[in-house]
Amino acid sequence: MALPVETFFLHPEAQGTLQSQIQQMIAQGILSGRFQRGEKLPSTRKLATHLGVSRITVTIAYTELLANDYLTSRGRSGYFVSDNAPVPPAFAPSEVGPDAVDWTRAIGQKFSGGDTVRKPPDWGSYRYPFIYGQADPALFDHANWRLCALKALGQKDFTALTTDYYDQDDPQLIEFIARHTLPRRGIAARPEQILITLGAQNALWLTTQVLLTQRRRAALEDPCYHALRDILSQSRCHMTPVRVDADGMPPDAIPPDTDVIFTTPSHQCPTTGTMPMHRRHDLLERAADMDALIVEDDYEFEMSFLKSPSPALKSLDTEGRVIYVGSFSKSLFPGLRLGYLVGSEPFIREARALRASVLRHPPGHVQRTAAYFLSLGHHDALIRRMGAALHDRREVMAKALTAHGLQIAGQGAYGGSSFWMRAPEAVDTQELARRLQAKGVLIEPGHAFFSGPARPKTYYRLAYSSIPATRIAKGIDIVANEIRDMAHLGLSEAINWP
């Protein structure tokens, strides 16, 4: 008896070619036990008609399954599930009761429960995604990235693709960073002073693990990159949040017993402010007086499309106190997970050993693909294209914000990809975000960027990197109307309070 054709359907959100979807659908049916050995499959013609695809597509899928011994062909009788096809487990799953382990005592929640903001995984389906740090498919150079990935798969690069580097990195990528990327920030470094990481966050984790203990103190900006605060909390070090002003972290506010200072001088996260040169020199002097180290996260310097960026803090360092964190995640795409650390050799040697014990090295194929994309000039072309697009989007958003009277708390003088905003006192931006999401608008509430129990609830971030310029004005209109409604409601409740 043949399996009913209605048993087969293609999932509307399935990935891959139609041929591969059909192949996967049948293989999963066999592996799950729905299709038994010896059962006959629908004919290629009947299944093609049912699925609305060409007959040749079904025939190719069946041929692949024949080659893998999931199916067998019996002359004119058709296709059947092979007698050699995998058999699902014969046992029935047992009911699982509640754990007898006290997991709170066993693990202590050292790593979970942080403040890292999670974006909806389907953010791209929202009409107005004012969210930060996601790649825009309309701007990314898919074609050249694909060509570079294929080039890195070639026989010439077999070693880079397959070798266990242990604690080393792709020499081509290291050379490009040393000769091209870092000099643009005014930094001179030898290959021994550079370490590839799985993104900037991994670089910050490695740095924290190497430099900090429960007896040492870290000073961090307030507000700051919330994932950094989570990383520091996990290290159990002493933490001192230092409230930033329009120029970034004030050096005089840093406690004298600080061991490591974490800062984002080029583009403060999240206020977007840029630390002026005189304060950078003051910060270096303050660190020298305390014999402290500085970790500089230079996460968005490529997005300086309004004017040339200031030299990196690392470029002003003459004592080896600054550890520099760079990343390709913002300028390429966040899923790449590729960043780098630059510092004195003793520090890089220790960070390299730690990385090797945890993950060896970032995948060789990813490193070589990035090296080709950078060295062939595709990255620079992408930056120019992104800069032009972000400049246009910024102007559209600035006009819309001004037209609605929304308060801008911070906007980068050099560019960037977001505005740091402040709502009226009666508006809780976490609630604002929930209401807006129901209307197809995504924003980032600002509470997670702040430290301490009494965190401001009125800040939020609006990014323009993931939304077309043509949708910005309408999205801001929805945001402004919701803020007005919430502010009016809050004022009314305050007036009527007994």
Side-chain angles (χ1 to χ4, degrees):
M1 179 177 177
L3 290 164
V5 72
E6 293 79 10
T7 306
F8 302 84
F9 64 92
L10 296 175
H11 195 282
E13 297 181 1
Q15 301 295 314
T17 64
L18 289 172
Q19 165 191 328
S20 65
Q21 290 179 43
I22 295 170
Q23 185 179 342
Q24 183 179 23
M25 169 182 64
I26 296 173
Q28 287 180 345
I30 296 172
L31 292 171
S32 66
R34 290 189 295 117
F35 305 161
Q36 301 291 321
R37 289 178 173 181
E39 285 188 310
K40 183 180 180 182
L41 272 71
S43 68
T44 55
R45 186 188 302 278
K46 186 178 293 186
L47 184 57
T49 302
H50 171 69
L51 297 177
V53 301
S54 70
R55 186 179 180 185
I56 188 64
T57 300
V58 178
T59 300
I60 294 174
Y62 276 13
T63 301
E64 287 291 328
L65 291 164
L66 279 171
N68 294 326
D69 212 8
Y70 277 83
L71 301 183
T72 185
S73 175
R74 300 179 185 173
R76 295 179 177 271
S77 299
Y79 294 92
F80 296 79
V81 178
S82 171
D83 291 338
N84 297 321
V87 178
F91 58 85
S94 59
E95 292 188 8
V96 179
D99 286 357
V101 178
D102 181 356
W103 285 109
T104 302
R105 177 176 174 271
I107 62 180
Q109 284 190 299
K110 181 179 178 182
F111 302 105
S112 63
D115 292 317
T116 299
V117 177
R118 299 189 183 277
K119 302 174 179 67
D122 61 341
W123 65 267
S125 66
Y126 286 79
R127 182 72 176 170
Y128 309 103
F130 295 114
I131 59 171
Y132 181 82
Q134 297 299 320
D136 187 339
L139 298 178
F140 184 66
D141 189 352
H142 296 83
N144 281 316
W145 180 265
R146 185 185 302 112
L147 289 174
C148 290
L150 290 173
K151 183 178 176 66
L153 285 171
Q155 184 65 35
K156 176 184 174 183
D157 296 295
F158 182 79
T159 300
L161 174 68
T162 61
T163 295
D164 179 1
Y165 282 120
Y166 182 57
D167 63 353
Q168 298 300 304
D169 292 304
D170 186 331
Q172 289 191 27
L173 181 57
I174 292 291
E175 180 185 13
F176 187 89
I177 293 172
R179 293 181 57 189
H180 297 274
T181 305
L182 294 179
R184 292 182 178 182
R185 305 298 294 127
I187 301 171
R190 300 185 303 277
E192 305 82 48
Q193 297 173 314
I194 303 171
L195 180 71
I196 303 299
T197 64
L198 290 176
Q201 192 161 325
N202 178 234
L204 291 170
W205 181 84
L206 289 169
T207 301
T208 298
Q209 294 298 311
V210 170
L211 299 182
L212 291 167
T213 66
Q214 295 182 11
R215 295 184 296 276
R216 294 182 176 178
R217 179 174 301 278
L220 66 160
E221 297 167 337
D222 186 30
C224 74
Y225 176 44
H226 37 70
L228 170 63
R229 190 172 56 247
D230 292 346
I231 290 170
L232 293 174
S233 297
Q234 293 162 10
S235 75
R236 305 293 176 89
C237 70
H238 301 284
M239 288 192 298
T240 301
V242 177
R243 184 58 61 93
V244 302
D245 57 25
D247 293 334
M249 175 183 278
D252 292 342
I254 301 173
D257 61 340
T258 298
D259 297 288
V260 185
I261 302 164
F262 290 84
T263 182
T264 52
S266 294
H267 202 76
Q268 204 279 326
C269 179
T271 69
T272 74
T274 298
M275 185 180 290
M277 292 300 292
H278 69 84
R279 177 168 286 190
R280 298 184 186 214
H281 287 289
D282 291 344
L283 181 59
L284 288 169
E285 291 179 7
R286 177 69 169 162
D289 291 342
M290 298 186 298
D291 195 22
L293 297 171
I294 300 174
V295 179
E296 176 186 16
D297 184 355
D298 201 21
Y299 69 98
E300 205 176 46
F301 82 86
E302 301 99 335
M303 300 298 104
S304 299
F305 50 79
L306 295 179
K307 53 184 177 180
S308 298
S310 300
L313 187 67
K314 176 68 175 173
S315 70
L316 309 174
D317 176 27
T318 60
E319 299 182 347
R321 294 190 179 278
V322 178
I323 296 166
Y324 181 87
V325 176
S327 174
F328 296 112
S329 295
K330 296 294 183 295
S331 57
L332 287 175
F333 51 92
L336 180 64
R337 308 313 312 144
L338 208 60
Y340 51 94
L341 276 169
V342 182
S344 298
E345 286 186 49
F347 166 77
I348 293 296
R349 184 168 55 247
E350 193 72 7
R352 187 184 304 280
L354 174 60
R355 189 197 68 175
S357 68
V358 176
L359 54 87
R360 302 289 247 196
H361 58 82
H365 179 252
V366 173
Q367 293 194 53
R368 183 55 58 91
T369 300
Y372 281 139
F373 195 80
L374 294 163
S375 61
L376 293 174
H378 303 313
H379 182 249
D380 287 343
L382 176 62
I383 293 300
R384 289 192 294 270
R385 186 164 57 252
M386 289 177 62
L390 293 180
H391 186 279
D392 292 343
R393 296 177 188 184
R394 176 191 172 93
E395 287 190 340
V396 173
M397 183 174 283
K399 289 179 181 178
L401 296 174
T402 301
H404 287 286
L406 296 180
Q407 183 181 351
I408 300 174
Q411 52 182 321
Y414 291 79
S417 59
S418 65
F419 285 88
W420 181 237
M421 306 294 297
R422 187 169 189 176
E425 288 300 323
V427 177
D428 183 333
T429 56
Q430 287 183 273
E431 176 62 22
L432 173 65
R434 284 191 287 269
R435 295 189 181 202
L436 288 172
Q437 186 170 352
K439 298 181 178 182
V441 181
L442 296 178
I443 68 169
E444 290 183 81
H447 70 285
F449 294 96
F450 291 90
S451 300
R455 304 182 184 187
K457 297 181 178 180
T458 58
Y459 289 93
Y460 61 106
R461 182 162 67 175
L462 293 175
Y464 43 86
S465 56
S466 302
I467 181 172
T470 53
R471 298 183 191 174
I472 289 176
K474 178 59 178 177
I476 296 300
D477 182 62
I478 298 173
V479 173
N481 289 333
E482 196 64 46
I483 288 177
R484 275 193 291 270
D485 290 346
M486 291 182 65
H488 179 73
L489 179 62
L491 181 62
S492 299
E493 291 178 348
I495 293 175
N496 296 326
W497 190 260

